[in-house]
Amino acid sequence: MSGSSAPIRLLLADDQALVRGALAALLSLEPDLTVVAEVGRGDEVVPEALQHTPDVALLDVEMPGLDGIAATAALRTALPACRVLVVTTFGRPGYLRRAMEAGANGFVVKDTPARQLADAVRRVHAGLRVVDPTLAAETLATGASPLTERETEVLRAARAGGAVAELAKALHLSEGTVRNHLSAAIGKTGARNRAAAVRIAEQNGWLLGD
Amino acid sequence: MSGSSAPIRLLLADDQALVRGALAALLSLEPDLTVVAEVGRGDEVVPEALQHTPDVALLDVEMPGLDGIAATAALRTALPACRVLVVTTFGRPGYLRRAMEAGANGFVVKDTPARQLADAVRRVHAGLRVVDPTLAAETLATGASPLTERETEVLRAARAGGAVAELAKALHLSEGTVRNHLSAAIGKTGARNRAAAVRIAEQNGWLLGD
DNA sequence: CCCGCGCCCTGACAAATGTCACGGCCGGAA
DNA sequence: TTCCGGCCGTGACATTTGTCAGGGCGCGGG
């Protein structure tokens, strides 16, 4: 498979130390792969990558400091030679879209069989795009977020569970306006509650940027 | 550590195939450990365990079919010789309590360093209890669920986001009663919203059974 | 026994939430 | 230019939600 060339150098980013270490063990079984760096926070990705110059970075989406999508974008500009493979727990349709827009070269969910991961890494390293086909279909079906900018902003603020008055003050809007945006979001998500709307938007990855 | 005795036989249960495989790789690095079975659903734990008679079972809490706590209880009665080490993503205080009550011998969160996992397995196999100390402290501080049976039931139903009328019909109660239980739950959790109450209760592991 | 305590259940009331119709603003099409 | 459509912002209104006071029931202690 990888005859005699130098091994592919990997950077792993995942906030769960146990999973990170386990992935390192799994990938180290492959003779043509080497893990050269591990980080547990999104904002440590770029510094560590600059120091160790990996060929491929495996990034989780849910991470403290900086989410995987933002880390992808930062890494692509800081170290364009490094490919990015996003590895995430949830197959949120929006995540895939955002990851690709941010410059990721591959997207794999943690449900995929373990043996396929090494192949995904090799494909990405070879310049190919790797995407879970079922997730890709779902992404196309779901489409981009129907929510307008303000609507997402308000929904995001509503996630914390505060009352309308607090949201209004935090966003410098009238209470009526906040209610209206929430109502629109509820309608567009097909929910009947503010809470349900938040959940649906979250599941689709429409609330990502903070 | 394990001079010449037979290796410890392990069963792995985790719904994410990638994590499961990675853990298998990690644990297989230890010469005194062998993975003899892997499952991705809680209701497959007992059948597989009966067939392969592992010495220690590593169970995730979040799993389809049957959650890790219920699987622990089932496994302890079906195969008492097999020790159980619960390995979970979230350090929900209630999870630890419930796991121990269900007969688990150890409880580890996925934040712990990878190198400690093998030791945890060995300790559990030796008959010791393994518990994350910080989590144990938090569990004692948080205490058991303050929610009454009906209150948890109503909160669980409210998780889906339905209106009071639907909950009332589903639970065969008056709307007023449902509101009252919800109000009590809101008060006990310290929340100001039904939605916030649901989140807090979920985070503390008070909504477990179904 | 009788009392107190906690849980369950219920309806009436106040407060928050969701809906609606409306006006201003901007950018593209006719 | 004018018109049209989308997004933002706002207030009035109906609906839903949360709070409160209260009654019934079972259980353990005095």
Side-chain angles (χ1 to χ4, degrees), chain A residues 81-95:
Chain A
C82 179
R83 317 276 184 175
V84 172
L85 177 60
V86 174
V87 182
T88 190
T89 305
F90 307 104
R92 311 268 166 90
Y95 281 12

Side-chain angles (χ1 to χ4, degrees), chain A residues 116-138:
Chain A
Q116 295 182 9
L117 184 62
D119 275 340
V121 170
R122 292 192 194 98
R123 284 217 188 83
V124 165
H125 180 248
L128 301 174
R129 302 212 148 219
V130 174
V131 175
D132 185 322
T134 70
L135 184 56
E138 194 181 350

Side-chain angles (χ1 to χ4, degrees), chain B residues 163-208:
Chain B
V164 172
E166 312 174 36
L167 307 187
K169 202 157 45 177
L171 300 173
H172 304 289
L173 291 176
S174 155
E175 299 192 11
T177 305
V178 172
R179 283 207 200 87
N180 196 25
H181 284 309
L182 285 172
S183 181
I186 290 170
K188 288 181 180 176
T189 54
R192 261 195 307 212
N193 265 349
R194 170 189 320 196
V198 167
R199 269 214 339 232
I200 292 174
E202 235 170 13
Q203 285 179 353
N204 287 349
W206 293 339
L207 260 40
L208 204 71

Side-chain angles (χ1 to χ4, degrees), chain A residues 154-179:
Chain A
V154 173
L155 254 198
R156 228 178 280 159
R159 217 171 5 177
V164 172
E166 311 175 37
L167 306 188
K169 202 157 46 176
L171 300 173
H172 304 291
L173 291 177
S174 157
E175 299 193 11
T177 305
V178 172
R179 283 206 200 86

Side-chain angles (χ1 to χ4, degrees), chain B residues 67-79:
Chain B
D67 68 70
I69 309 289
T72 298
L75 185 55
R76 293 297 307 179
T77 67
L79 202 75

